[in-house]
Amino acid sequence: MKRNVYGVAAAVLLACGPAATAFAASAEAVSTAPAAVSAALADVTAEGAAAAALKAYPGVVESLDRDANVWHVDVITKDGKGHAELKVDAATGKVTKGSVDSDEDAGEHKDLLAAKVTAAQALKAAVAAHPGEAWSVEWNSDDDDNGKAASWHVEVRGSDGKTWDGSVDATTGKVTAESDSDDDNS
């Protein structure tokens, strides 16, 4: 079809000169503009950033947080020996590897690797309990939280501008509110 359009455009150019050239150029720009505009407006969600990071560096998400137009994602390999700090562009989903370590102590990550609830599932559960946009998720193990059960700390920013902090149990997926805040910059 483009061949026919270009053939007609060439014939019009020969017959009508510069005015037809300007019209043909603007018609082509209009036909490609919506795709460019919609791509520029696309925003990668927390779940999308986690999926992109895991595609680039397979394993288990340990933490994820958004800083302006970049998602920072830490991933632990499934054997617990590797760790990568990744950046995911919030507009394009492009993944950039930061530091990558392959000599981690696998024992330090055993609870994370055994968790029944993943970071992505914790994000979904938190947003279902408190509608808004997930902004961060971070693993909290028994060792980090004074003997409490392992959980995910999740931050959700509501449409009302308030930030909601909660935890999601790593075994049951139960969501518990930690606090509400009026600060939309935390």
Side-chain angles (χ1 to χ4, degrees):
M1 172 145 177
K2 281 191 174 188
R3 181 185 296 172
N4 291 342
V5 170
Y6 290 122
V8 171
V12 171
L13 288 176
L14 289 173
C16 299
T21 303
F23 177 78
S26 65
E28 181 67 28
V30 168
S31 69
T32 59
V37 169
S38 64
L41 296 176
D43 193 31
V44 176
T45 63
E47 293 88 352
L54 291 174
K55 185 175 180 182
Y57 192 85
V60 177
V61 171
E62 179 181 38
S63 67
L64 173 142
D65 67 285
R66 185 162 178 169
D67 181 20
N69 294 323
V70 176
W71 288 100
H72 298 274
V73 186
D74 283 1
V75 177
I76 303 297
T77 56
K78 290 187 179 190
D79 65 2
K81 296 179 182 178
H83 172 256
E85 295 176 5
L86 308 170
K87 292 180 181 179
V88 180
D89 186 290
T92 65
K94 180 181 177 189
V95 178
T96 307
K97 289 183 183 176
S99 74
V100 177
D101 187 14
S102 60
D103 62 352
E104 290 278 311
D105 178 4
E108 289 183 23
H109 305 295
K110 66 180 170 106
D111 289 342
L112 170 64
L113 298 172
K116 292 182 180 180
V117 177
T118 66
Q121 292 167 330
L123 290 167
K124 287 180 185 177
V127 170
H130 189 84
E133 182 180 356
W135 212 253
S136 71
V137 62
E138 184 177 7
W139 176 251
N140 290 317
S141 70
D142 297 336
D143 300 332
D144 296 340
D145 222 5
N146 298 325
K148 293 182 182 177
S151 64
W152 293 99
H153 174 263
V154 182
E155 180 181 317
V156 177
R157 295 193 179 179
S159 58
D160 60 1
K162 291 184 178 182
T163 300
W164 176 87
D165 290 308
S167 64
V168 178
D169 186 284
T171 302
T172 65
K174 181 181 177 187
V175 179
T176 307
E178 291 179 4
S179 68
D180 282 320
S181 168
D182 291 330
D183 183 12
D184 62 354
N185 294 320
S186 60

